[in-house]
Amino acid sequence: GNDPKGLDFMIEESFKLALRQNQWKYIQPSKPRWGPGRPPVERALYNLTDDPGEQANIIATHPEKADSMGQKLQSLVDATGVR
C-alpha cells in the first residue's frame, strides 16, 4: 500500500497459516485440506535469512520464538477473522 512504515509482519495462507516477521517464519499446525492419507501440517519455525528454502525446521532450538509468534498469529486470526 501507500503506508511508508508498513507492518512488521505478514500472514501467509495456503494449506496452512503462517506468520512472517523479519527473518522468521512460523507455520501453524493444521489438519490437511487435501485428500485422505496425507499427514497434517506440523508446527514449524524457519530463519529465512539462513534457510530461504525452508529446509530446516528449527522450532526445537527456538521454542520461545515459536510460542510468541504462534500467540501473535492466533491473536491476529481472532481479531481479523483470518481463516
Side-chain angles (χ1 to χ4, degrees):
N2 295 322
D3 186 343
K5 180 176 182 259
L7 298 173
D8 70 341
F9 66 87
M10 177 177 77
I11 296 175
E12 293 182 6
E13 184 178 14
S14 172
F15 293 109
K16 75 283 184 208
L17 286 179
L19 178 67
R20 289 183 62 166
Q21 188 171 28
N22 302 317
Q23 79 267 27
W24 300 100
K25 181 176 180 179
Y26 169 79
I27 298 176
Q28 186 178 55
S30 68
K31 295 178 183 174
R33 295 183 187 177
W34 46 82
R38 298 291 295 241
V41 174
E42 299 294 328
R43 188 172 181 243
L45 180 70
Y46 299 100
N47 181 326
L48 299 176
T49 301
D50 298 337
D51 180 19
E54 300 174 25
Q55 300 298 306
N57 182 357
I58 58 172
I59 201 163
T61 56
H62 298 281
E64 304 87 13
K65 187 64 172 173
D67 290 344
S68 70
M69 290 186 74
Q71 291 170 1
K72 180 169 183 144
L73 178 57
Q74 191 58 54
S75 70
L76 290 166
V77 168
D78 293 344
T80 62
V82 174
R83 303 182 253 137

